[in-house]
Amino acid sequence: MTSLTQRSSGLVQRRTEASRNAADKERAAGGGAGSGEDEAQSRRDEQDDDDKGDSKETRLTLMEEVLLLGLKDREVICKLDAPTGDVLLDEALKHVKETQPPETVQNWIELLSGETWNPLKLHYQLRNVRERLAKNLVEKGVLTTEKQNFLLFDMTTHPLTNNNIKQRLIKKVQEAVLDKWVNDPHRMDKRLLALIYLAHASDVLENAFAPLLDEQYDLATKRVRQLLDLDPEVECLKANTNEVLWAVVAAFTK
């Protein structure tokens, strides 16, 4: 598992972007300190703006969010019969439902990712996942498609075209471990908790923390470390927990 470290390039980027953010705040404060009610209303308006930005066309899946962050870019028995509408998820669920006896979460992660030594189970692997996720983001207007020439061949790339969506995603991840930190994973939004774990396992969580001030960065990484140090076997036994979520966490943090 890749640990969260302060890379020198990341430190420079954090200081540069943090200085810009601090300057913006100073200019905003030039008009005088607002009342508590004004600040609260401002936050509500900002939340409303974020909600409006999440239209049906641009609402991202969890895997798409993990991919977007990366741009410099127990036994599982499936009981869901209706398709989810997400092609990759439906493909994975189809494999799960049709396989008897059931595989463990750890085994499914290995099978679906192609990390298995059993040649008879290679058909479970989800093919071209990154490219398919990128095409989904193109259809949603987040990325675009370009052709770049590399010596003797052309390569298809997907540059970011809608930075607002990515910035909202980064802000959501930052707030989860800073301003909106609840110090209890079972009180956190389950989808957001899963996003943090998966982003860390995919080595893209650092990208969300790069713009932070040094003190904020240290605090954010400290709280992520608290989540990573939790024992999934213990957490899955607590009341009102999501056993599948913690089984996936165990598979990625073993």
Short mmCIF file of all heavy atoms in Angstrom, two decimals, residues 32-45:
data_model
loop_
_atom_site.label_atom_id
_atom_site.label_comp_id
_atom_site.label_asym_id
_atom_site.label_seq_id
_atom_site.Cartn_x
_atom_site.Cartn_y
_atom_site.Cartn_z
N GLY A 32 -14.88 43.95 5.15
CA GLY A 32 -15.32 43.92 6.54
C GLY A 32 -15.81 42.54 6.90
O GLY A 32 -16.24 41.77 6.07
N ALA A 33 -15.74 42.23 8.19
CA ALA A 33 -16.15 40.91 8.66
C ALA A 33 -17.66 40.80 8.64
O ALA A 33 -18.37 41.65 9.18
CB ALA A 33 -15.62 40.68 10.08
N GLY A 34 -18.16 39.74 8.05
CA GLY A 34 -19.60 39.54 7.98
C GLY A 34 -20.12 38.93 9.26
O GLY A 34 -19.37 38.39 10.08
N SER A 35 -21.40 38.98 9.45
CA SER A 35 -22.02 38.39 10.62
C SER A 35 -22.07 36.90 10.47
O SER A 35 -21.88 36.34 9.39
CB SER A 35 -23.45 38.93 10.79
OG SER A 35 -24.25 38.52 9.71
N GLY A 36 -22.33 36.17 11.58
CA GLY A 36 -22.44 34.73 11.54
C GLY A 36 -23.55 34.28 10.63
O GLY A 36 -23.44 33.27 9.94
N GLU A 37 -24.65 35.04 10.62
CA GLU A 37 -25.78 34.67 9.76
C GLU A 37 -25.41 34.79 8.30
O GLU A 37 -25.79 33.95 7.48
CB GLU A 37 -27.00 35.55 10.07
CG GLU A 37 -27.58 35.31 11.47
CD GLU A 37 -28.81 36.16 11.72
OE1 GLU A 37 -29.15 36.93 10.79
OE2 GLU A 37 -29.40 36.06 12.79
N ASP A 38 -24.66 35.84 7.96
CA ASP A 38 -24.24 36.02 6.57
C ASP A 38 -23.34 34.86 6.12
O ASP A 38 -23.44 34.37 5.00
CB ASP A 38 -23.48 37.35 6.40
CG ASP A 38 -24.42 38.54 6.55
OD1 ASP A 38 -25.65 38.34 6.42
OD2 ASP A 38 -23.92 39.65 6.82
N GLU A 39 -22.43 34.46 7.03
CA GLU A 39 -21.51 33.38 6.69
C GLU A 39 -22.27 32.07 6.51
O GLU A 39 -22.01 31.30 5.58
CB GLU A 39 -20.47 33.21 7.80
CG GLU A 39 -19.44 32.12 7.51
CD GLU A 39 -18.40 32.04 8.60
OE1 GLU A 39 -18.43 32.88 9.52
OE2 GLU A 39 -17.55 31.12 8.51
N ALA A 40 -23.23 31.82 7.39
CA ALA A 40 -24.03 30.60 7.29
C ALA A 40 -24.83 30.58 6.00
O ALA A 40 -24.95 29.55 5.32
CB ALA A 40 -24.96 30.46 8.49
N GLN A 41 -25.41 31.75 5.65
CA GLN A 41 -26.18 31.84 4.42
C GLN A 41 -25.30 31.62 3.21
O GLN A 41 -25.69 30.98 2.23
CB GLN A 41 -26.86 33.21 4.33
CG GLN A 41 -27.73 33.38 3.09
CD GLN A 41 -28.87 32.39 3.05
OE1 GLN A 41 -29.54 32.18 4.06
NE2 GLN A 41 -29.10 31.78 1.89
N SER A 42 -24.07 32.14 3.29
CA SER A 42 -23.13 31.98 2.19
C SER A 42 -22.80 30.51 1.97
O SER A 42 -22.71 30.03 0.85
CB SER A 42 -21.84 32.76 2.48
OG SER A 42 -20.88 32.55 1.47
N ARG A 43 -22.64 29.79 3.10
CA ARG A 43 -22.34 28.36 2.98
C ARG A 43 -23.52 27.60 2.39
O ARG A 43 -23.34 26.68 1.60
CB ARG A 43 -21.98 27.78 4.35
CG ARG A 43 -20.63 28.26 4.89
CD ARG A 43 -20.34 27.67 6.24
NE ARG A 43 -19.03 28.11 6.74
CZ ARG A 43 -18.55 27.79 7.93
NH1 ARG A 43 -19.26 27.02 8.74
NH2 ARG A 43 -17.37 28.23 8.31
N ARG A 44 -24.73 27.99 2.79
CA ARG A 44 -25.91 27.34 2.24
C ARG A 44 -26.03 27.59 0.74
O ARG A 44 -26.36 26.70 -0.03
CB ARG A 44 -27.18 27.81 2.97
CG ARG A 44 -27.31 27.24 4.38
CD ARG A 44 -28.72 27.47 4.91
NE ARG A 44 -29.02 28.89 5.08
CZ ARG A 44 -28.80 29.56 6.20
NH1 ARG A 44 -28.26 28.94 7.26
NH2 ARG A 44 -29.11 30.84 6.30
N ASP A 45 -25.75 28.83 0.35
CA ASP A 45 -25.81 29.16 -1.08
C ASP A 45 -24.77 28.37 -1.86
O ASP A 45 -25.03 27.91 -2.97
CB ASP A 45 -25.58 30.67 -1.28
CG ASP A 45 -26.74 31.50 -0.72
OD1 ASP A 45 -27.83 30.92 -0.48
OD2 ASP A 45 -26.55 32.71 -0.50
#
